[in-house]
Amino acid sequence: MDVEGFLRHADEVLVGVVEVAGALIIFVGAVLAAVRFVVEGLRHRTAAVFTPIRLSLGRFLTLGLEFQLAADILRTAVSPTFEQVGQLAAIATIRTLLNYFLGREIRKEKQQVSDGERST
């Protein structure tokens, strides 16, 4: 196997590992949020209980999306074509916007939680 072939194979393996890590992070966050939703929902039955659950899920989603973006960057690390670079730019833009809006939502929810705690 030549050096370029080895690099391509190693890159494919690394991309797979990082993609799986991102998917696992999102999956674990979703499962934890679902369990907390059921447990807290049955115990308290108030809307205020769900905000911390949403914040936690949002953090997992943000982290998972960062891993997915890292995998996309790795995918184009070895001899990228113009098409791959264009796809990466589109994917990076979409994922960056998702992370931005998730982050903004998390900050907003945190502020509401802390404001609610001060008023009680």
Side-chain angles (χ1 to χ4, degrees), residues 47-111:
V49 169
F50 302 117
T51 300
I53 297 169
R54 286 184 64 225
L55 288 172
S56 176
L57 178 58
R59 287 186 193 103
F60 277 97
L61 289 173
T62 301
L63 182 60
L65 286 171
E66 292 291 339
F67 272 82
Q68 296 298 318
L69 180 58
D72 291 330
I73 291 169
L74 280 172
R75 186 174 286 114
T76 61
V78 179
S79 304
T81 64
F82 284 115
E83 183 180 337
Q84 288 174 322
V85 171
Q87 288 174 345
L88 175 62
I91 291 168
T93 301
I94 291 167
R95 290 198 175 149
T96 300
L97 287 171
L98 281 171
N99 275 341
Y100 170 77
F101 287 113
L102 274 170
R104 193 171 81 172
E105 184 72 18
I106 289 169
R107 284 190 300 278
K108 187 176 168 183
E109 293 283 340
K110 278 174 125 176
Q111 183 64 40

Short mmCIF file of all heavy atoms in Angstrom, two decimals, residues 47-111:
data_model
loop_
_atom_site.label_atom_id
_atom_site.label_comp_id
_atom_site.label_asym_id
_atom_site.label_seq_id
_atom_site.Cartn_x
_atom_site.Cartn_y
_atom_site.Cartn_z
N ALA A 47 -44.45 22.52 34.29
CA ALA A 47 -43.68 22.89 33.09
C ALA A 47 -42.26 23.31 33.43
O ALA A 47 -41.33 23.10 32.65
CB ALA A 47 -44.40 24.00 32.34
N ALA A 48 -42.06 23.90 34.61
CA ALA A 48 -40.73 24.40 35.00
C ALA A 48 -39.70 23.28 35.14
O ALA A 48 -38.50 23.51 35.01
CB ALA A 48 -40.83 25.17 36.31
N VAL A 49 -40.16 22.07 35.36
CA VAL A 49 -39.25 20.94 35.52
C VAL A 49 -38.54 20.61 34.21
O VAL A 49 -37.42 20.12 34.20
CB VAL A 49 -40.05 19.71 36.02
CG1 VAL A 49 -39.23 18.44 35.94
CG2 VAL A 49 -40.53 19.93 37.43
N PHE A 50 -39.17 20.91 33.09
CA PHE A 50 -38.64 20.48 31.80
C PHE A 50 -37.55 21.39 31.25
O PHE A 50 -36.79 20.96 30.38
CB PHE A 50 -39.79 20.34 30.80
CG PHE A 50 -40.83 19.37 31.29
CD1 PHE A 50 -42.13 19.78 31.55
CD2 PHE A 50 -40.50 18.04 31.51
CE1 PHE A 50 -43.07 18.88 32.02
CE2 PHE A 50 -41.44 17.14 31.97
CZ PHE A 50 -42.73 17.56 32.22
N THR A 51 -37.44 22.61 31.72
CA THR A 51 -36.41 23.51 31.21
C THR A 51 -35.00 22.98 31.46
O THR A 51 -34.19 22.95 30.53
CB THR A 51 -36.58 24.93 31.81
OG1 THR A 51 -37.87 25.42 31.43
CG2 THR A 51 -35.51 25.87 31.30
N PRO A 52 -34.66 22.52 32.67
CA PRO A 52 -33.30 21.95 32.85
C PRO A 52 -33.05 20.73 31.97
O PRO A 52 -31.93 20.49 31.52
CB PRO A 52 -33.26 21.58 34.34
CG PRO A 52 -34.33 22.37 34.98
CD PRO A 52 -35.38 22.60 33.94
N ILE A 53 -34.09 19.95 31.70
CA ILE A 53 -33.95 18.78 30.84
C ILE A 53 -33.63 19.23 29.42
O ILE A 53 -32.74 18.68 28.76
CB ILE A 53 -35.23 17.91 30.88
CG1 ILE A 53 -35.45 17.37 32.30
CG2 ILE A 53 -35.13 16.77 29.88
CD1 ILE A 53 -36.81 16.73 32.52
N ARG A 54 -34.32 20.24 28.95
CA ARG A 54 -34.05 20.79 27.61
C ARG A 54 -32.64 21.36 27.53
O ARG A 54 -31.95 21.19 26.51
CB ARG A 54 -35.06 21.89 27.27
CG ARG A 54 -36.43 21.35 26.94
CD ARG A 54 -37.39 22.44 26.51
NE ARG A 54 -36.93 23.02 25.28
CZ ARG A 54 -36.89 24.34 25.06
NH1 ARG A 54 -37.29 25.19 25.96
NH2 ARG A 54 -36.46 24.79 23.90
N LEU A 55 -32.20 22.04 28.60
CA LEU A 55 -30.84 22.59 28.61
C LEU A 55 -29.80 21.48 28.50
O LEU A 55 -28.83 21.59 27.75
CB LEU A 55 -30.60 23.41 29.88
CG LEU A 55 -31.32 24.73 29.97
CD1 LEU A 55 -31.15 25.33 31.36
CD2 LEU A 55 -30.79 25.68 28.93
N SER A 56 -30.00 20.43 29.25
CA SER A 56 -29.07 19.31 29.22
C SER A 56 -29.05 18.66 27.84
O SER A 56 -27.97 18.40 27.28
CB SER A 56 -29.48 18.28 30.28
OG SER A 56 -28.65 17.15 30.20
N LEU A 57 -30.21 18.43 27.26
CA LEU A 57 -30.27 17.84 25.92
C LEU A 57 -29.60 18.76 24.90
O LEU A 57 -28.87 18.31 24.03
CB LEU A 57 -31.72 17.57 25.52
CG LEU A 57 -31.93 17.01 24.11
CD1 LEU A 57 -31.17 15.70 23.92
CD2 LEU A 57 -33.41 16.82 23.84
N GLY A 58 -29.83 20.06 25.03
CA GLY A 58 -29.20 21.02 24.12
C GLY A 58 -27.68 20.96 24.17
O GLY A 58 -27.01 21.04 23.14
N ARG A 59 -27.13 20.77 25.37
CA ARG A 59 -25.67 20.65 25.50
C ARG A 59 -25.16 19.39 24.80
O ARG A 59 -24.13 19.42 24.13
CB ARG A 59 -25.29 20.64 26.98
CG ARG A 59 -25.43 21.98 27.63
CD ARG A 59 -24.92 21.97 29.07
NE ARG A 59 -25.34 23.16 29.76
CZ ARG A 59 -26.34 23.22 30.63
NH1 ARG A 59 -27.00 22.13 30.96
NH2 ARG A 59 -26.68 24.36 31.20
N PHE A 60 -25.87 18.29 24.98
CA PHE A 60 -25.47 17.05 24.30
C PHE A 60 -25.55 17.22 22.79
O PHE A 60 -24.66 16.77 22.06
CB PHE A 60 -26.36 15.88 24.74
CG PHE A 60 -25.93 15.23 26.03
CD1 PHE A 60 -26.52 15.58 27.23
CD2 PHE A 60 -24.94 14.26 26.04
CE1 PHE A 60 -26.14 14.98 28.42
CE2 PHE A 60 -24.54 13.65 27.22
CZ PHE A 60 -25.15 14.02 28.42
N LEU A 61 -26.62 17.85 22.31
CA LEU A 61 -26.76 18.06 20.87
C LEU A 61 -25.63 18.93 20.33
O LEU A 61 -25.05 18.63 19.27
CB LEU A 61 -28.11 18.72 20.56
CG LEU A 61 -29.34 17.85 20.74
CD1 LEU A 61 -30.61 18.69 20.56
CD2 LEU A 61 -29.33 16.68 19.78
N THR A 62 -25.31 19.98 21.04
CA THR A 62 -24.23 20.88 20.62
C THR A 62 -22.90 20.13 20.55
O THR A 62 -22.18 20.23 19.56
CB THR A 62 -24.13 22.08 21.57
OG1 THR A 62 -25.37 22.78 21.57
CG2 THR A 62 -23.02 23.02 21.17
N LEU A 63 -22.60 19.36 21.58
CA LEU A 63 -21.34 18.61 21.59
C LEU A 63 -21.32 17.56 20.48
O LEU A 63 -20.32 17.41 19.77
CB LEU A 63 -21.13 17.94 22.96
CG LEU A 63 -19.83 17.16 23.13
CD1 LEU A 63 -18.62 18.06 22.92
CD2 LEU A 63 -19.80 16.51 24.50
N GLY A 64 -22.43 16.85 20.31
CA GLY A 64 -22.50 15.85 19.25
C GLY A 64 -22.32 16.46 17.87
O GLY A 64 -21.64 15.89 17.01
N LEU A 65 -22.94 17.61 17.64
CA LEU A 65 -22.79 18.29 16.36
C LEU A 65 -21.35 18.74 16.13
O LEU A 65 -20.87 18.73 14.99
CB LEU A 65 -23.74 19.49 16.27
CG LEU A 65 -25.21 19.14 16.06
CD1 LEU A 65 -26.08 20.39 16.20
CD2 LEU A 65 -25.42 18.49 14.71
N GLU A 66 -20.66 19.14 17.17
CA GLU A 66 -19.25 19.51 17.04
C GLU A 66 -18.42 18.31 16.59
O GLU A 66 -17.53 18.44 15.75
CB GLU A 66 -18.70 20.07 18.36
CG GLU A 66 -19.28 21.40 18.75
CD GLU A 66 -18.85 22.55 17.86
OE1 GLU A 66 -17.81 22.43 17.17
OE2 GLU A 66 -19.57 23.56 17.84
N PHE A 67 -18.71 17.14 17.14
CA PHE A 67 -18.01 15.93 16.72
C PHE A 67 -18.32 15.61 15.27
O PHE A 67 -17.44 15.21 14.51
CB PHE A 67 -18.39 14.74 17.61
CG PHE A 67 -17.52 14.60 18.83
CD1 PHE A 67 -17.76 15.36 19.96
CD2 PHE A 67 -16.46 13.71 18.84
CE1 PHE A 67 -16.98 15.24 21.09
CE2 PHE A 67 -15.66 13.58 19.96
CZ PHE A 67 -15.91 14.35 21.09
N GLN A 68 -19.58 15.77 14.87
CA GLN A 68 -19.95 15.51 13.48
C GLN A 68 -19.23 16.47 12.53
O GLN A 68 -18.78 16.06 11.46
CB GLN A 68 -21.48 15.62 13.30
CG GLN A 68 -22.26 14.58 14.08
CD GLN A 68 -21.96 13.17 13.65
OE1 GLN A 68 -21.85 12.88 12.47
NE2 GLN A 68 -21.82 12.27 14.61
N LEU A 69 -19.11 17.73 12.92
CA LEU A 69 -18.37 18.69 12.11
C LEU A 69 -16.90 18.31 12.03
O LEU A 69 -16.28 18.40 10.96
CB LEU A 69 -18.54 20.11 12.68
CG LEU A 69 -17.81 21.22 11.93
CD1 LEU A 69 -18.25 21.28 10.48
CD2 LEU A 69 -18.04 22.55 12.63
N ALA A 70 -16.34 17.84 13.15
CA ALA A 70 -14.94 17.40 13.14
C ALA A 70 -14.76 16.24 12.16
O ALA A 70 -13.77 16.19 11.44
CB ALA A 70 -14.51 16.99 14.55
N ALA A 71 -15.72 15.33 12.13
CA ALA A 71 -15.63 14.20 11.19
C ALA A 71 -15.68 14.70 9.74
O ALA A 71 -14.94 14.20 8.89
CB ALA A 71 -16.77 13.22 11.45
N ASP A 72 -16.52 15.70 9.48
CA ASP A 72 -16.60 16.25 8.13
C ASP A 72 -15.28 16.91 7.73
O ASP A 72 -14.84 16.81 6.59
CB ASP A 72 -17.74 17.26 8.02
CG ASP A 72 -19.10 16.59 8.13
OD1 ASP A 72 -19.21 15.41 7.73
OD2 ASP A 72 -20.03 17.24 8.62
N ILE A 73 -14.66 17.59 8.66
CA ILE A 73 -13.36 18.22 8.39
C ILE A 73 -12.31 17.16 8.12
O ILE A 73 -11.52 17.27 7.18
CB ILE A 73 -12.95 19.15 9.55
CG1 ILE A 73 -13.90 20.36 9.59
CG2 ILE A 73 -11.50 19.60 9.41
CD1 ILE A 73 -13.77 21.22 10.83
N LEU A 74 -12.29 16.11 8.94
CA LEU A 74 -11.34 15.01 8.72
C LEU A 74 -11.55 14.36 7.35
O LEU A 74 -10.60 13.98 6.68
CB LEU A 74 -11.50 13.94 9.80
CG LEU A 74 -10.83 14.20 11.13
CD1 LEU A 74 -11.25 13.14 12.14
CD2 LEU A 74 -9.31 14.21 10.97
N ARG A 75 -12.81 14.24 6.94
CA ARG A 75 -13.13 13.60 5.67
C ARG A 75 -12.46 14.33 4.50
O ARG A 75 -12.08 13.71 3.51
CB ARG A 75 -14.64 13.56 5.48
CG ARG A 75 -15.08 12.78 4.26
CD ARG A 75 -16.60 12.65 4.18
NE ARG A 75 -17.06 11.68 5.17
CZ ARG A 75 -17.83 11.99 6.22
NH1 ARG A 75 -18.23 13.21 6.42
NH2 ARG A 75 -18.20 11.06 7.07
N THR A 76 -12.29 15.62 4.61
CA THR A 76 -11.70 16.39 3.52
C THR A 76 -10.21 16.69 3.76
O THR A 76 -9.62 17.45 3.02
CB THR A 76 -12.45 17.72 3.31
OG1 THR A 76 -12.36 18.49 4.51
CG2 THR A 76 -13.89 17.48 2.94
N ALA A 77 -9.63 16.06 4.78
CA ALA A 77 -8.24 16.36 5.13
C ALA A 77 -7.23 15.83 4.12
O ALA A 77 -6.17 16.42 3.92
CB ALA A 77 -7.92 15.82 6.53
N VAL A 78 -7.53 14.71 3.48
CA VAL A 78 -6.58 14.09 2.55
C VAL A 78 -7.05 14.34 1.12
O VAL A 78 -8.08 13.85 0.69
CB VAL A 78 -6.48 12.57 2.81
CG1 VAL A 78 -5.52 11.92 1.83
CG2 VAL A 78 -6.04 12.30 4.24
N SER A 79 -6.29 15.13 0.41
CA SER A 79 -6.55 15.43 -1.01
C SER A 79 -8.01 15.77 -1.32
O SER A 79 -8.67 15.05 -2.08
CB SER A 79 -6.13 14.24 -1.88
OG SER A 79 -4.80 13.91 -1.67
N PRO A 80 -8.51 16.85 -0.74
CA PRO A 80 -9.91 17.19 -1.00
C PRO A 80 -10.12 17.69 -2.43
O PRO A 80 -9.25 18.33 -3.02
CB PRO A 80 -10.19 18.31 0.00
CG PRO A 80 -8.86 18.95 0.22
CD PRO A 80 -7.85 17.83 0.12
N THR A 81 -11.28 17.37 -2.97
CA THR A 81 -11.66 17.91 -4.28
C THR A 81 -12.43 19.21 -4.04
O THR A 81 -12.86 19.49 -2.91
CB THR A 81 -12.55 16.92 -5.04
OG1 THR A 81 -13.78 16.77 -4.32
CG2 THR A 81 -11.88 15.56 -5.21
N PHE A 82 -12.63 19.98 -5.10
CA PHE A 82 -13.41 21.21 -4.96
C PHE A 82 -14.83 20.89 -4.52
O PHE A 82 -15.43 21.63 -3.74
CB PHE A 82 -13.42 22.00 -6.27
CG PHE A 82 -12.13 22.74 -6.52
CD1 PHE A 82 -11.33 22.40 -7.61
CD2 PHE A 82 -11.73 23.76 -5.68
CE1 PHE A 82 -10.14 23.08 -7.84
CE2 PHE A 82 -10.54 24.43 -5.91
CZ PHE A 82 -9.75 24.10 -6.99
N GLU A 83 -15.37 19.78 -5.01
CA GLU A 83 -16.72 19.37 -4.62
C GLU A 83 -16.78 19.08 -3.12
O GLU A 83 -17.71 19.49 -2.43
CB GLU A 83 -17.15 18.13 -5.41
CG GLU A 83 -18.57 17.69 -5.11
CD GLU A 83 -18.98 16.47 -5.91
OE1 GLU A 83 -18.38 16.22 -6.98
OE2 GLU A 83 -19.90 15.78 -5.46
N GLN A 84 -15.78 18.36 -2.59
CA GLN A 84 -15.74 18.04 -1.17
C GLN A 84 -15.60 19.31 -0.32
O GLN A 84 -16.22 19.43 0.73
CB GLN A 84 -14.59 17.09 -0.86
CG GLN A 84 -14.81 15.69 -1.36
CD GLN A 84 -13.58 14.82 -1.15
OE1 GLN A 84 -12.44 15.28 -1.31
NE2 GLN A 84 -13.81 13.56 -0.83
N VAL A 85 -14.77 20.24 -0.78
CA VAL A 85 -14.60 21.49 -0.04
C VAL A 85 -15.91 22.27 -0.03
O VAL A 85 -16.30 22.83 1.01
CB VAL A 85 -13.44 22.33 -0.65
CG1 VAL A 85 -13.40 23.71 -0.03
CG2 VAL A 85 -12.11 21.62 -0.45
N GLY A 86 -16.62 22.29 -1.15
CA GLY A 86 -17.92 22.96 -1.21
C GLY A 86 -18.94 22.32 -0.28
O GLY A 86 -19.68 23.00 0.41
N GLN A 87 -18.95 20.98 -0.27
CA GLN A 87 -19.86 20.27 0.62
C GLN A 87 -19.51 20.55 2.08
O GLN A 87 -20.39 20.76 2.91
CB GLN A 87 -19.81 18.76 0.36
CG GLN A 87 -20.47 18.35 -0.93
CD GLN A 87 -20.28 16.87 -1.23
OE1 GLN A 87 -19.42 16.20 -0.64
NE2 GLN A 87 -21.06 16.36 -2.17
N LEU A 88 -18.21 20.56 2.39
CA LEU A 88 -17.78 20.86 3.75
C LEU A 88 -18.21 22.26 4.15
O LEU A 88 -18.68 22.48 5.27
CB LEU A 88 -16.26 20.71 3.89
CG LEU A 88 -15.69 21.10 5.25
CD1 LEU A 88 -16.25 20.21 6.35
CD2 LEU A 88 -14.17 21.03 5.23
N ALA A 89 -18.07 23.21 3.25
CA ALA A 89 -18.47 24.58 3.55
C ALA A 89 -19.96 24.65 3.86
O ALA A 89 -20.39 25.31 4.82
CB ALA A 89 -18.12 25.51 2.39
N ALA A 90 -20.77 23.97 3.05
CA ALA A 90 -22.22 23.96 3.29
C ALA A 90 -22.56 23.28 4.61
O ALA A 90 -23.35 23.80 5.41
CB ALA A 90 -22.93 23.26 2.13
N ILE A 91 -21.95 22.13 4.85
CA ILE A 91 -22.21 21.40 6.10
C ILE A 91 -21.74 22.20 7.30
O ILE A 91 -22.45 22.30 8.31
CB ILE A 91 -21.53 20.01 6.06
CG1 ILE A 91 -22.23 19.12 5.03
CG2 ILE A 91 -21.52 19.35 7.43
CD1 ILE A 91 -21.46 17.85 4.70
N ALA A 92 -20.56 22.78 7.20
CA ALA A 92 -20.03 23.57 8.31
C ALA A 92 -20.93 24.76 8.59
O ALA A 92 -21.18 25.10 9.76
CB ALA A 92 -18.60 24.04 8.00
N THR A 93 -21.43 25.40 7.56
CA THR A 93 -22.32 26.54 7.75
C THR A 93 -23.60 26.11 8.45
O THR A 93 -24.03 26.74 9.43
CB THR A 93 -22.66 27.19 6.39
OG1 THR A 93 -21.44 27.62 5.78
CG2 THR A 93 -23.61 28.36 6.55
N ILE A 94 -24.21 25.03 7.99
CA ILE A 94 -25.45 24.55 8.59
C ILE A 94 -25.22 24.15 10.04
O ILE A 94 -25.98 24.54 10.94
CB ILE A 94 -26.03 23.37 7.78
CG1 ILE A 94 -26.51 23.88 6.42
CG2 ILE A 94 -27.16 22.68 8.54
CD1 ILE A 94 -26.79 22.77 5.42
N ARG A 95 -24.17 23.39 10.30
CA ARG A 95 -23.92 22.93 11.68
C ARG A 95 -23.52 24.08 12.59
O ARG A 95 -23.88 24.10 13.76
CB ARG A 95 -22.87 21.82 11.67
CG ARG A 95 -23.45 20.57 11.06
CD ARG A 95 -22.67 19.34 11.38
NE ARG A 95 -23.38 18.18 10.85
CZ ARG A 95 -22.80 17.10 10.42
NH1 ARG A 95 -21.51 16.99 10.46
NH2 ARG A 95 -23.52 16.10 9.97
N THR A 96 -22.78 25.05 12.06
CA THR A 96 -22.41 26.21 12.86
C THR A 96 -23.65 27.01 13.22
O THR A 96 -23.80 27.46 14.37
CB THR A 96 -21.39 27.09 12.10
OG1 THR A 96 -20.23 26.31 11.84
CG2 THR A 96 -21.01 28.31 12.90
N LEU A 97 -24.55 27.18 12.27
CA LEU A 97 -25.82 27.88 12.56
C LEU A 97 -26.64 27.11 13.59
O LEU A 97 -27.21 27.72 14.50
CB LEU A 97 -26.62 28.10 11.28
CG LEU A 97 -26.07 29.16 10.33
CD1 LEU A 97 -26.84 29.13 9.00
CD2 LEU A 97 -26.16 30.54 10.96
N LEU A 98 -26.71 25.80 13.44
CA LEU A 98 -27.43 24.99 14.44
C LEU A 98 -26.83 25.17 15.82
O LEU A 98 -27.54 25.36 16.80
CB LEU A 98 -27.40 23.51 14.05
CG LEU A 98 -28.36 23.06 12.98
CD1 LEU A 98 -28.05 21.63 12.56
CD2 LEU A 98 -29.80 23.16 13.45
N ASN A 99 -25.50 25.11 15.90
CA ASN A 99 -24.83 25.29 17.19
C ASN A 99 -25.06 26.69 17.75
O ASN A 99 -25.27 26.87 18.95
CB ASN A 99 -23.33 25.02 17.07
CG ASN A 99 -23.02 23.55 17.21
OD1 ASN A 99 -23.81 22.78 17.73
ND2 ASN A 99 -21.86 23.17 16.74
N TYR A 100 -25.04 27.68 16.88
CA TYR A 100 -25.27 29.06 17.33
C TYR A 100 -26.66 29.19 17.94
O TYR A 100 -26.83 29.72 19.04
CB TYR A 100 -25.10 30.04 16.16
CG TYR A 100 -25.56 31.43 16.50
CD1 TYR A 100 -24.78 32.27 17.28
CD2 TYR A 100 -26.80 31.90 16.07
CE1 TYR A 100 -25.21 33.54 17.62
CE2 TYR A 100 -27.25 33.16 16.39
CZ TYR A 100 -26.44 33.98 17.17
OH TYR A 100 -26.88 35.23 17.51
N PHE A 101 -27.67 28.70 17.22
CA PHE A 101 -29.03 28.84 17.71
C PHE A 101 -29.28 27.98 18.93
O PHE A 101 -30.01 28.38 19.84
CB PHE A 101 -30.05 28.57 16.60
CG PHE A 101 -30.10 29.69 15.59
CD1 PHE A 101 -29.67 29.49 14.29
CD2 PHE A 101 -30.54 30.95 15.95
CE1 PHE A 101 -29.70 30.53 13.36
CE2 PHE A 101 -30.57 32.00 15.04
CZ PHE A 101 -30.15 31.79 13.73
N LEU A 102 -28.69 26.78 18.98
CA LEU A 102 -28.79 25.96 20.19
C LEU A 102 -28.14 26.66 21.37
O LEU A 102 -28.69 26.70 22.47
CB LEU A 102 -28.13 24.60 19.98
CG LEU A 102 -28.97 23.51 19.35
CD1 LEU A 102 -28.10 22.31 18.99
CD2 LEU A 102 -30.09 23.08 20.26
N GLY A 103 -26.97 27.22 21.16
CA GLY A 103 -26.27 27.94 22.22
C GLY A 103 -27.06 29.14 22.71
O GLY A 103 -27.14 29.40 23.91
N ARG A 104 -27.65 29.85 21.78
CA ARG A 104 -28.47 31.01 22.14
C ARG A 104 -29.68 30.56 22.95
O ARG A 104 -30.04 31.19 23.96
CB ARG A 104 -28.90 31.75 20.88
CG ARG A 104 -29.48 33.12 21.17
CD ARG A 104 -29.69 33.89 19.91
NE ARG A 104 -30.95 33.44 19.31
CZ ARG A 104 -31.51 33.99 18.26
NH1 ARG A 104 -30.91 34.98 17.65
NH2 ARG A 104 -32.65 33.55 17.80
N GLU A 105 -30.30 29.48 22.53
CA GLU A 105 -31.46 28.94 23.25
C GLU A 105 -31.07 28.49 24.65
O GLU A 105 -31.79 28.73 25.62
CB GLU A 105 -32.07 27.77 22.46
CG GLU A 105 -33.32 27.20 23.06
CD GLU A 105 -34.53 28.10 22.92
OE1 GLU A 105 -34.53 29.01 22.08
OE2 GLU A 105 -35.50 27.88 23.67
N ILE A 106 -29.91 27.84 24.77
CA ILE A 106 -29.43 27.40 26.08
C ILE A 106 -29.20 28.59 27.00
O ILE A 106 -29.61 28.59 28.16
CB ILE A 106 -28.15 26.55 25.93
CG1 ILE A 106 -28.49 25.19 25.30
CG2 ILE A 106 -27.44 26.37 27.27
CD1 ILE A 106 -27.29 24.38 24.87
N ARG A 107 -28.55 29.65 26.49
CA ARG A 107 -28.31 30.84 27.32
C ARG A 107 -29.63 31.47 27.76
O ARG A 107 -29.78 31.89 28.91
CB ARG A 107 -27.47 31.85 26.54
CG ARG A 107 -26.00 31.50 26.47
CD ARG A 107 -25.16 32.63 25.91
NE ARG A 107 -25.54 33.02 24.55
CZ ARG A 107 -25.16 32.40 23.45
NH1 ARG A 107 -24.40 31.33 23.54
NH2 ARG A 107 -25.55 32.81 22.27
N LYS A 108 -30.57 31.54 26.83
CA LYS A 108 -31.88 32.12 27.13
C LYS A 108 -32.60 31.31 28.21
O LYS A 108 -33.14 31.88 29.16
CB LYS A 108 -32.71 32.15 25.85
CG LYS A 108 -34.01 32.88 25.94
CD LYS A 108 -34.65 32.90 24.54
CE LYS A 108 -36.06 33.34 24.56
NZ LYS A 108 -36.66 33.27 23.22
N GLU A 109 -32.58 29.99 28.06
CA GLU A 109 -33.23 29.12 29.05
C GLU A 109 -32.54 29.23 30.41
O GLU A 109 -33.20 29.26 31.44
CB GLU A 109 -33.22 27.67 28.57
CG GLU A 109 -34.07 27.41 27.36
CD GLU A 109 -35.56 27.32 27.66
OE1 GLU A 109 -35.92 27.10 28.83
OE2 GLU A 109 -36.35 27.50 26.73
N LYS A 110 -31.20 29.28 30.41
CA LYS A 110 -30.46 29.42 31.67
C LYS A 110 -30.85 30.71 32.38
O LYS A 110 -31.03 30.74 33.59
CB LYS A 110 -28.95 29.41 31.42
CG LYS A 110 -28.34 28.07 31.26
CD LYS A 110 -26.90 28.23 30.88
CE LYS A 110 -25.99 27.51 31.80
NZ LYS A 110 -24.59 27.59 31.36
N GLN A 111 -30.96 31.78 31.59
CA GLN A 111 -31.34 33.07 32.16
C GLN A 111 -32.73 32.99 32.77
O GLN A 111 -32.96 33.50 33.87
CB GLN A 111 -31.30 34.17 31.08
CG GLN A 111 -31.61 35.55 31.60
CD GLN A 111 -30.57 36.04 32.59
OE1 GLN A 111 -29.38 35.82 32.41
NE2 GLN A 111 -31.02 36.67 33.64
#
